[in-house]
mmCIF file of all heavy atoms in Angstrom:
data_model
loop_
_atom_site.group_PDB
_atom_site.id
_atom_site.type_symbol
_atom_site.label_atom_id
_atom_site.label_comp_id
_atom_site.label_asym_id
_atom_site.label_seq_id
_atom_site.Cartn_x
_atom_site.Cartn_y
_atom_site.Cartn_z
ATOM 1 N N GLN A 1 -8.395 -7.572 -8.766
ATOM 2 C CA GLN A 1 -8.990 -8.881 -8.485
ATOM 3 C C GLN A 1 -7.986 -9.914 -7.972
ATOM 4 O O GLN A 1 -8.311 -11.090 -7.886
ATOM 5 C CB GLN A 1 -9.764 -9.424 -9.696
ATOM 6 C CG GLN A 1 -10.903 -8.528 -10.137
ATOM 7 C CD GLN A 1 -11.869 -8.180 -9.002
ATOM 8 O OE1 GLN A 1 -12.227 -9.022 -8.200
ATOM 9 N NE2 GLN A 1 -12.295 -6.929 -8.948
ATOM 10 N N GLN A 2 -6.783 -9.486 -7.597
ATOM 11 C CA GLN A 2 -5.810 -10.402 -7.003
ATOM 12 C C GLN A 2 -6.233 -10.709 -5.563
ATOM 13 O O GLN A 2 -6.688 -9.830 -4.834
ATOM 14 C CB GLN A 2 -4.418 -9.778 -7.014
ATOM 15 C CG GLN A 2 -3.351 -10.694 -6.431
ATOM 16 C CD GLN A 2 -1.954 -10.134 -6.606
ATOM 17 O OE1 GLN A 2 -1.683 -9.420 -7.569
ATOM 18 N NE2 GLN A 2 -1.077 -10.444 -5.672
ATOM 19 N N ILE A 3 -6.068 -11.970 -5.152
ATOM 20 C CA ILE A 3 -6.382 -12.377 -3.785
ATOM 21 C C ILE A 3 -5.357 -11.740 -2.848
ATOM 22 O O ILE A 3 -4.153 -11.908 -3.037
ATOM 23 C CB ILE A 3 -6.348 -13.916 -3.635
ATOM 24 C CG1 ILE A 3 -7.296 -14.591 -4.623
ATOM 25 C CG2 ILE A 3 -6.629 -14.319 -2.185
ATOM 26 C CD1 ILE A 3 -8.743 -14.227 -4.489
ATOM 27 N N VAL A 4 -5.842 -11.011 -1.828
ATOM 28 C CA VAL A 4 -4.933 -10.335 -0.910
ATOM 29 C C VAL A 4 -4.958 -10.915 0.502
ATOM 30 O O VAL A 4 -4.011 -10.741 1.262
ATOM 31 C CB VAL A 4 -5.201 -8.813 -0.865
ATOM 32 C CG1 VAL A 4 -4.864 -8.170 -2.208
ATOM 33 C CG2 VAL A 4 -6.629 -8.499 -0.461
ATOM 34 N N MET A 5 -6.047 -11.600 0.866
ATOM 35 C CA MET A 5 -6.134 -12.203 2.196
ATOM 36 C C MET A 5 -7.274 -13.205 2.256
ATOM 37 O O MET A 5 -8.099 -13.271 1.349
ATOM 38 C CB MET A 5 -6.316 -11.132 3.276
ATOM 39 C CG MET A 5 -7.629 -10.384 3.234
ATOM 40 S SD MET A 5 -7.771 -9.080 4.501
ATOM 41 C CE MET A 5 -6.507 -7.945 4.014
ATOM 42 N N GLU A 6 -7.274 -13.976 3.332
ATOM 43 C CA GLU A 6 -8.376 -14.881 3.603
ATOM 44 C C GLU A 6 -9.225 -14.257 4.707
ATOM 45 O O GLU A 6 -8.698 -13.623 5.618
ATOM 46 C CB GLU A 6 -7.860 -16.244 4.053
ATOM 47 C CG GLU A 6 -7.114 -16.969 2.957
ATOM 48 C CD GLU A 6 -6.434 -18.241 3.441
ATOM 49 O OE1 GLU A 6 -6.548 -18.586 4.633
ATOM 50 O OE2 GLU A 6 -5.780 -18.885 2.616
ATOM 51 N N ILE A 7 -10.525 -14.443 4.600
ATOM 52 C CA ILE A 7 -11.483 -13.928 5.568
ATOM 53 C C ILE A 7 -12.312 -15.107 6.066
ATOM 54 O O ILE A 7 -12.726 -15.960 5.271
ATOM 55 C CB ILE A 7 -12.411 -12.871 4.912
ATOM 56 C CG1 ILE A 7 -11.608 -11.650 4.478
ATOM 57 C CG2 ILE A 7 -13.546 -12.476 5.826
ATOM 58 C CD1 ILE A 7 -11.029 -10.841 5.613
ATOM 59 N N GLU A 8 -12.570 -15.146 7.365
ATOM 60 C CA GLU A 8 -13.350 -16.239 7.947
ATOM 61 C C GLU A 8 -14.572 -15.677 8.662
ATOM 62 O O GLU A 8 -14.469 -14.756 9.466
ATOM 63 C CB GLU A 8 -12.486 -17.011 8.940
ATOM 64 C CG GLU A 8 -13.183 -18.195 9.551
ATOM 65 C CD GLU A 8 -12.275 -19.007 10.447
ATOM 66 O OE1 GLU A 8 -11.049 -18.799 10.451
ATOM 67 O OE2 GLU A 8 -12.812 -19.872 11.164
ATOM 68 N N THR A 9 -15.735 -16.245 8.328
ATOM 69 C CA THR A 9 -16.971 -15.907 9.031
ATOM 70 C C THR A 9 -17.412 -17.149 9.801
ATOM 71 O O THR A 9 -16.748 -18.177 9.758
ATOM 72 C CB THR A 9 -18.081 -15.484 8.040
ATOM 73 O OG1 THR A 9 -18.455 -16.620 7.254
ATOM 74 C CG2 THR A 9 -17.628 -14.353 7.137
ATOM 75 N N ASP A 10 -18.552 -17.069 10.468
ATOM 76 C CA ASP A 10 -19.079 -18.230 11.191
ATOM 77 C C ASP A 10 -19.391 -19.378 10.240
ATOM 78 O O ASP A 10 -19.407 -20.531 10.644
ATOM 79 C CB ASP A 10 -20.360 -17.860 11.946
ATOM 80 C CG ASP A 10 -20.080 -16.930 13.117
ATOM 81 O OD1 ASP A 10 -18.921 -16.896 13.584
ATOM 82 O OD2 ASP A 10 -21.009 -16.239 13.559
ATOM 83 N N LYS A 11 -19.637 -19.046 8.983
ATOM 84 C CA LYS A 11 -20.089 -20.054 8.024
ATOM 85 C C LYS A 11 -19.046 -20.523 7.031
ATOM 86 O O LYS A 11 -19.177 -21.598 6.469
ATOM 87 C CB LYS A 11 -21.292 -19.515 7.251
ATOM 88 C CG LYS A 11 -22.462 -19.184 8.137
ATOM 89 C CD LYS A 11 -23.627 -18.643 7.354
ATOM 90 C CE LYS A 11 -24.763 -18.296 8.293
ATOM 91 N NZ LYS A 11 -25.959 -17.904 7.600
ATOM 92 N N ALA A 12 -18.013 -19.727 6.771
ATOM 93 C CA ALA A 12 -17.078 -20.107 5.703
ATOM 94 C C ALA A 12 -15.757 -19.349 5.811
ATOM 95 O O ALA A 12 -15.662 -18.311 6.450
ATOM 96 C CB ALA A 12 -17.703 -19.812 4.344
ATOM 97 N N VAL A 13 -14.760 -19.898 5.139
ATOM 98 C CA VAL A 13 -13.479 -19.221 4.932
ATOM 99 C C VAL A 13 -13.387 -18.959 3.436
ATOM 100 O O VAL A 13 -13.652 -19.856 2.640
ATOM 101 C CB VAL A 13 -12.294 -20.107 5.377
ATOM 102 C CG1 VAL A 13 -10.972 -19.437 5.034
ATOM 103 C CG2 VAL A 13 -12.377 -20.416 6.855
ATOM 104 N N PHE A 14 -13.061 -17.734 3.056
ATOM 105 C CA PHE A 14 -12.946 -17.463 1.626
ATOM 106 C C PHE A 14 -11.812 -16.502 1.343
ATOM 107 O O PHE A 14 -11.336 -15.804 2.222
ATOM 108 C CB PHE A 14 -14.273 -16.966 1.039
ATOM 109 C CG PHE A 14 -14.780 -15.687 1.626
ATOM 110 C CD1 PHE A 14 -14.489 -14.474 1.028
ATOM 111 C CD2 PHE A 14 -15.571 -15.684 2.769
ATOM 112 C CE1 PHE A 14 -14.961 -13.290 1.553
ATOM 113 C CE2 PHE A 14 -16.042 -14.503 3.301
ATOM 114 C CZ PHE A 14 -15.740 -13.305 2.696
ATOM 115 N N GLU A 15 -11.363 -16.522 0.078
ATOM 116 C CA GLU A 15 -10.293 -15.658 -0.383
ATOM 117 C C GLU A 15 -10.888 -14.324 -0.815
ATOM 118 O O GLU A 15 -11.893 -14.286 -1.522
ATOM 119 C CB GLU A 15 -9.571 -16.318 -1.549
ATOM 120 C CG GLU A 15 -8.906 -17.620 -1.153
ATOM 121 C CD GLU A 15 -8.301 -18.356 -2.327
ATOM 122 O OE1 GLU A 15 -8.862 -18.305 -3.439
ATOM 123 O OE2 GLU A 15 -7.255 -18.991 -2.121
ATOM 124 N N LEU A 16 -10.265 -13.244 -0.373
ATOM 125 C CA LEU A 16 -10.779 -11.903 -0.648
ATOM 126 C C LEU A 16 -9.918 -11.214 -1.702
ATOM 127 O O LEU A 16 -8.738 -10.944 -1.464
ATOM 128 C CB LEU A 16 -10.789 -11.085 0.641
ATOM 129 C CG LEU A 16 -11.408 -9.699 0.559
ATOM 130 C CD1 LEU A 16 -12.897 -9.783 0.239
ATOM 131 C CD2 LEU A 16 -11.208 -8.962 1.870
ATOM 132 N N PRO A 17 -10.497 -10.924 -2.884
ATOM 133 C CA PRO A 17 -9.752 -10.187 -3.904
ATOM 134 C C PRO A 17 -9.910 -8.675 -3.712
ATOM 135 O O PRO A 17 -10.926 -8.208 -3.224
ATOM 136 C CB PRO A 17 -10.420 -10.633 -5.207
ATOM 137 C CG PRO A 17 -11.839 -10.918 -4.805
ATOM 138 C CD PRO A 17 -11.770 -11.425 -3.379
ATOM 139 N N CYS A 18 -8.892 -7.939 -4.088
ATOM 140 C CA CYS A 18 -8.960 -6.481 -4.062
ATOM 141 C C CYS A 18 -9.431 -6.015 -5.441
ATOM 142 O O CYS A 18 -8.890 -6.449 -6.456
ATOM 143 C CB CYS A 18 -7.589 -5.899 -3.748
ATOM 144 S SG CYS A 18 -7.578 -4.095 -3.654
ATOM 145 N N PRO A 19 -10.431 -5.146 -5.504
ATOM 146 C CA PRO A 19 -10.950 -4.708 -6.801
ATOM 147 C C PRO A 19 -10.035 -3.746 -7.556
ATOM 148 O O PRO A 19 -10.243 -3.493 -8.735
ATOM 149 C CB PRO A 19 -12.262 -4.013 -6.433
ATOM 150 C CG PRO A 19 -12.035 -3.515 -5.044
ATOM 151 C CD PRO A 19 -11.153 -4.545 -4.393
ATOM 152 N N GLN A 20 -9.011 -3.231 -6.896
ATOM 153 C CA GLN A 20 -8.164 -2.186 -7.470
ATOM 154 C C GLN A 20 -6.722 -2.675 -7.614
ATOM 155 O O GLN A 20 -6.212 -3.368 -6.749
ATOM 156 C CB GLN A 20 -8.193 -0.971 -6.529
ATOM 157 C CG GLN A 20 -7.436 0.220 -7.002
ATOM 158 C CD GLN A 20 -8.202 1.025 -8.009
ATOM 159 O OE1 GLN A 20 -9.423 0.999 -8.030
ATOM 160 N NE2 GLN A 20 -7.509 1.741 -8.851
ATOM 161 N N ALA A 21 -6.073 -2.284 -8.685
ATOM 162 C CA ALA A 21 -4.642 -2.553 -8.857
ATOM 163 C C ALA A 21 -3.851 -1.430 -8.200
ATOM 164 O O ALA A 21 -4.348 -0.317 -8.053
ATOM 165 C CB ALA A 21 -4.305 -2.637 -10.343
ATOM 166 N N GLY A 22 -2.614 -1.716 -7.814
ATOM 167 C CA GLY A 22 -1.751 -0.668 -7.273
ATOM 168 C C GLY A 22 -0.676 -1.221 -6.364
ATOM 169 O O GLY A 22 -0.533 -2.430 -6.199
ATOM 170 N N ARG A 23 0.089 -0.313 -5.758
ATOM 171 C CA ARG A 23 1.143 -0.669 -4.809
ATOM 172 C C ARG A 23 0.562 -0.517 -3.405
ATOM 173 O O ARG A 23 -0.005 0.516 -3.068
ATOM 174 C CB ARG A 23 2.354 0.242 -4.961
ATOM 175 C CG ARG A 23 3.485 -0.108 -3.982
ATOM 176 C CD ARG A 23 4.703 0.795 -4.130
ATOM 177 N NE ARG A 23 5.075 1.043 -5.508
ATOM 178 C CZ ARG A 23 5.801 0.232 -6.280
ATOM 179 N NH1 ARG A 23 6.222 -0.912 -5.794
ATOM 180 N NH2 ARG A 23 6.092 0.559 -7.520
ATOM 181 N N ILE A 24 0.729 -1.547 -2.588
ATOM 182 C CA ILE A 24 0.212 -1.510 -1.221
ATOM 183 C C ILE A 24 1.128 -0.621 -0.385
ATOM 184 O O ILE A 24 2.326 -0.867 -0.277
ATOM 185 C CB ILE A 24 0.128 -2.929 -0.626
ATOM 186 C CG1 ILE A 24 -0.834 -3.767 -1.466
ATOM 187 C CG2 ILE A 24 -0.307 -2.872 0.833
ATOM 188 C CD1 ILE A 24 -0.857 -5.232 -1.124
ATOM 189 N N THR A 25 0.537 0.431 0.186
ATOM 190 C CA THR A 25 1.312 1.360 1.006
ATOM 191 C C THR A 25 1.067 1.150 2.495
ATOM 192 O O THR A 25 1.880 1.599 3.308
ATOM 193 C CB THR A 25 0.991 2.819 0.636
ATOM 194 O OG1 THR A 25 -0.408 3.047 0.803
ATOM 195 C CG2 THR A 25 1.401 3.122 -0.801
ATOM 196 N N ALA A 26 -0.032 0.489 2.857
ATOM 197 C CA ALA A 26 -0.320 0.213 4.269
ATOM 198 C C ALA A 26 -1.289 -0.953 4.367
ATOM 199 O O ALA A 26 -2.186 -1.088 3.528
ATOM 200 C CB ALA A 26 -0.922 1.440 4.944
ATOM 201 N N ILE A 27 -1.090 -1.782 5.373
ATOM 202 C CA ILE A 27 -2.045 -2.840 5.715
ATOM 203 C C ILE A 27 -2.534 -2.511 7.116
ATOM 204 O O ILE A 27 -1.730 -2.367 8.042
ATOM 205 C CB ILE A 27 -1.404 -4.240 5.648
ATOM 206 C CG1 ILE A 27 -0.954 -4.525 4.209
ATOM 207 C CG2 ILE A 27 -2.395 -5.303 6.140
ATOM 208 C CD1 ILE A 27 -0.223 -5.843 4.015
ATOM 209 N N HIS A 28 -3.839 -2.363 7.280
ATOM 210 C CA HIS A 28 -4.421 -1.865 8.522
ATOM 211 C C HIS A 28 -4.901 -2.966 9.466
ATOM 212 O O HIS A 28 -5.395 -2.650 10.549
ATOM 213 C CB HIS A 28 -5.586 -0.926 8.212
ATOM 214 C CG HIS A 28 -5.224 0.172 7.259
ATOM 215 N ND1 HIS A 28 -4.341 1.179 7.568
ATOM 216 C CD2 HIS A 28 -5.610 0.405 5.984
ATOM 217 C CE1 HIS A 28 -4.212 2.001 6.532
ATOM 218 N NE2 HIS A 28 -4.967 1.547 5.561
ATOM 219 N N VAL A 29 -4.784 -4.226 9.062
ATOM 220 C CA VAL A 29 -5.274 -5.338 9.892
ATOM 221 C C VAL A 29 -4.189 -6.400 10.029
ATOM 222 O O VAL A 29 -3.250 -6.440 9.235
ATOM 223 C CB VAL A 29 -6.555 -5.965 9.287
ATOM 224 C CG1 VAL A 29 -7.705 -4.966 9.294
ATOM 225 C CG2 VAL A 29 -6.301 -6.488 7.881
ATOM 226 N N LYS A 30 -4.341 -7.248 11.034
ATOM 227 C CA LYS A 30 -3.424 -8.361 11.257
ATOM 228 C C LYS A 30 -4.226 -9.654 11.293
ATOM 229 O O LYS A 30 -5.410 -9.639 11.641
ATOM 230 C CB LYS A 30 -2.689 -8.185 12.588
ATOM 231 C CG LYS A 30 -1.777 -6.996 12.619
ATOM 232 C CD LYS A 30 -1.098 -6.887 13.961
ATOM 233 C CE LYS A 30 -0.180 -5.671 13.956
ATOM 234 N NZ LYS A 30 0.442 -5.458 15.240
ATOM 235 N N PRO A 31 -3.599 -10.782 10.958
ATOM 236 C CA PRO A 31 -4.298 -12.056 11.073
ATOM 237 C C PRO A 31 -4.844 -12.235 12.489
ATOM 238 O O PRO A 31 -4.194 -11.889 13.468
ATOM 239 C CB PRO A 31 -3.212 -13.089 10.754
ATOM 240 C CG PRO A 31 -2.259 -12.350 9.863
ATOM 241 C CD PRO A 31 -2.247 -10.947 10.418
ATOM 242 N N GLY A 32 -6.073 -12.745 12.561
ATOM 243 C CA GLY A 32 -6.727 -12.959 13.845
ATOM 244 C C GLY A 32 -7.597 -11.802 14.292
ATOM 245 O O GLY A 32 -8.372 -11.924 15.231
ATOM 246 N N THR A 33 -7.485 -10.665 13.619
ATOM 247 C CA THR A 33 -8.278 -9.496 13.961
ATOM 248 C C THR A 33 -9.709 -9.665 13.464
ATOM 249 O O THR A 33 -9.928 -10.099 12.340
ATOM 250 C CB THR A 33 -7.689 -8.227 13.300
ATOM 251 O OG1 THR A 33 -6.325 -8.099 13.665
ATOM 252 C CG2 THR A 33 -8.445 -6.977 13.694
ATOM 253 N N GLN A 34 -10.689 -9.314 14.294
ATOM 254 C CA GLN A 34 -12.075 -9.318 13.838
ATOM 255 C C GLN A 34 -12.407 -7.916 13.328
ATOM 256 O O GLN A 34 -12.103 -6.922 13.992
ATOM 257 C CB GLN A 34 -13.035 -9.686 14.971
ATOM 258 C CG GLN A 34 -14.468 -9.815 14.469
ATOM 259 C CD GLN A 34 -15.417 -10.291 15.546
ATOM 260 O OE1 GLN A 34 -15.735 -9.535 16.443
ATOM 261 N NE2 GLN A 34 -15.842 -11.537 15.442
ATOM 262 N N VAL A 35 -12.974 -7.850 12.121
ATOM 263 C CA VAL A 35 -13.294 -6.567 11.500
ATOM 264 C C VAL A 35 -14.757 -6.542 11.066
ATOM 265 O O VAL A 35 -15.350 -7.577 10.791
ATOM 266 C CB VAL A 35 -12.375 -6.284 10.283
ATOM 267 C CG1 VAL A 35 -10.941 -6.069 10.729
ATOM 268 C CG2 VAL A 35 -12.440 -7.405 9.270
ATOM 269 N N SER A 36 -15.302 -5.353 11.024
ATOM 270 C CA SER A 36 -16.675 -5.152 10.573
ATOM 271 C C SER A 36 -16.684 -4.743 9.109
ATOM 272 O O SER A 36 -15.699 -4.191 8.602
ATOM 273 C CB SER A 36 -17.346 -4.043 11.392
ATOM 274 O OG SER A 36 -17.385 -4.395 12.750
ATOM 275 N N VAL A 37 -17.802 -4.970 8.451
ATOM 276 C CA VAL A 37 -17.974 -4.516 7.073
ATOM 277 C C VAL A 37 -17.716 -3.007 7.046
ATOM 278 O O VAL A 37 -18.184 -2.271 7.904
ATOM 279 C CB VAL A 37 -19.393 -4.844 6.555
ATOM 280 C CG1 VAL A 37 -19.659 -4.179 5.211
ATOM 281 C CG2 VAL A 37 -19.574 -6.355 6.454
ATOM 282 N N GLY A 38 -16.908 -2.564 6.088
ATOM 283 C CA GLY A 38 -16.560 -1.153 5.960
ATOM 284 C C GLY A 38 -15.251 -0.769 6.628
ATOM 285 O O GLY A 38 -14.772 0.348 6.456
ATOM 286 N N THR A 39 -14.644 -1.697 7.380
ATOM 287 C CA THR A 39 -13.360 -1.425 8.018
ATOM 288 C C THR A 39 -12.260 -1.365 6.966
ATOM 289 O O THR A 39 -12.166 -2.257 6.121
ATOM 290 C CB THR A 39 -13.019 -2.536 9.040
ATOM 291 O OG1 THR A 39 -14.017 -2.559 10.051
ATOM 292 C CG2 THR A 39 -11.646 -2.322 9.662
ATOM 293 N N PRO A 40 -11.397 -0.337 6.994
ATOM 294 C CA PRO A 40 -10.281 -0.287 6.051
ATOM 295 C C PRO A 40 -9.331 -1.464 6.273
ATOM 296 O O PRO A 40 -8.916 -1.736 7.396
ATOM 297 C CB PRO A 40 -9.584 1.033 6.378
ATOM 298 C CG PRO A 40 -10.612 1.851 7.087
ATOM 299 C CD PRO A 40 -11.465 0.862 7.829
ATOM 300 N N LEU A 41 -9.004 -2.172 5.192
ATOM 301 C CA LEU A 41 -8.094 -3.307 5.258
ATOM 302 C C LEU A 41 -6.697 -2.923 4.805
ATOM 303 O O LEU A 41 -5.714 -3.330 5.401
ATOM 304 C CB LEU A 41 -8.621 -4.450 4.376
ATOM 305 C CG LEU A 41 -10.012 -4.976 4.729
ATOM 306 C CD1 LEU A 41 -10.459 -6.009 3.708
ATOM 307 C CD2 LEU A 41 -10.027 -5.545 6.139
ATOM 308 N N MET A 42 -6.622 -2.148 3.710
ATOM 309 C CA MET A 42 -5.326 -1.718 3.190
ATOM 310 C C MET A 42 -5.488 -0.481 2.334
ATOM 311 O O MET A 42 -6.590 -0.164 1.893
ATOM 312 C CB MET A 42 -4.643 -2.840 2.404
ATOM 313 C CG MET A 42 -5.390 -3.361 1.218
ATOM 314 S SD MET A 42 -4.563 -4.749 0.389
ATOM 315 C CE MET A 42 -4.424 -5.927 1.697
ATOM 316 N N THR A 43 -4.365 0.199 2.115
ATOM 317 C CA THR A 43 -4.335 1.384 1.261
ATOM 318 C C THR A 43 -3.382 1.106 0.109
ATOM 319 O O THR A 43 -2.313 0.532 0.308
ATOM 320 C CB THR A 43 -3.864 2.616 2.056
ATOM 321 O OG1 THR A 43 -4.735 2.800 3.175
ATOM 322 C CG2 THR A 43 -3.875 3.868 1.192
ATOM 323 N N LEU A 44 -3.806 1.504 -1.104
ATOM 324 C CA LEU A 44 -2.998 1.313 -2.302
ATOM 325 C C LEU A 44 -2.802 2.644 -3.005
ATOM 326 O O LEU A 44 -3.645 3.528 -2.917
ATOM 327 C CB LEU A 44 -3.703 0.372 -3.287
ATOM 328 C CG LEU A 44 -3.925 -1.051 -2.840
ATOM 329 C CD1 LEU A 44 -5.286 -1.212 -2.229
ATOM 330 C CD2 LEU A 44 -3.780 -1.971 -4.011
ATOM 331 N N GLU A 45 -1.690 2.753 -3.710
ATOM 332 C CA GLU A 45 -1.398 3.895 -4.577
ATOM 333 C C GLU A 45 -1.353 3.386 -6.008
ATOM 334 O O GLU A 45 -0.853 2.283 -6.255
ATOM 335 C CB GLU A 45 -0.046 4.523 -4.232
ATOM 336 C CG GLU A 45 -0.017 5.295 -2.944
ATOM 337 C CD GLU A 45 -0.724 6.633 -3.006
ATOM 338 O OE1 GLU A 45 -0.876 7.199 -4.121
ATOM 339 O OE2 GLU A 45 -1.133 7.120 -1.949
ATOM 340 N N ALA A 46 -1.843 4.189 -6.928
ATOM 341 C CA ALA A 46 -1.790 3.819 -8.340
ATOM 342 C C ALA A 46 -0.345 3.728 -8.800
ATOM 343 O O ALA A 46 0.519 4.446 -8.308
ATOM 344 C CB ALA A 46 -2.539 4.853 -9.179
ATOM 345 N N VAL A 47 -0.075 2.816 -9.718
ATOM 346 C CA VAL A 47 1.259 2.697 -10.317
ATOM 347 C C VAL A 47 1.106 2.694 -11.831
ATOM 348 O O VAL A 47 0.040 2.430 -12.349
ATOM 349 C CB VAL A 47 1.993 1.402 -9.877
ATOM 350 C CG1 VAL A 47 2.328 1.441 -8.412
ATOM 351 C CG2 VAL A 47 1.201 0.174 -10.195
#
């Protein structure tokens, strides 16, 4: 539930929490990128 990024839609800007704890091994998006629901944002490994 830690906030990992901000997401902006036509209606609002909000903080996006990740539901899983872990070590971030990859971030698949960059600021300014438009993404669809279901697009991978990041990959985590359990610690």
Side-chain angles (χ1 to χ4, degrees):
Q1 300 307 318
Q2 181 173 330
I3 304 299
V4 294
M5 67 182 65
E6 294 172 1
I7 295 293
E8 182 176 349
T9 67
D10 290 339
K11 300 179 181 186
V13 175
F14 61 94
E15 297 174 325
L16 185 64
C18 181
Q20 183 80 26
R23 180 180 317 278
I24 299 171
T25 58
I27 297 176
H28 307 293
V29 295
K30 295 180 180 176
T33 305
Q34 185 175 73
V35 293
S36 299
V37 171
T39 299
L41 301 175
M42 60 183 58
T43 303
L44 296 94
E45 288 286 337
V47 293

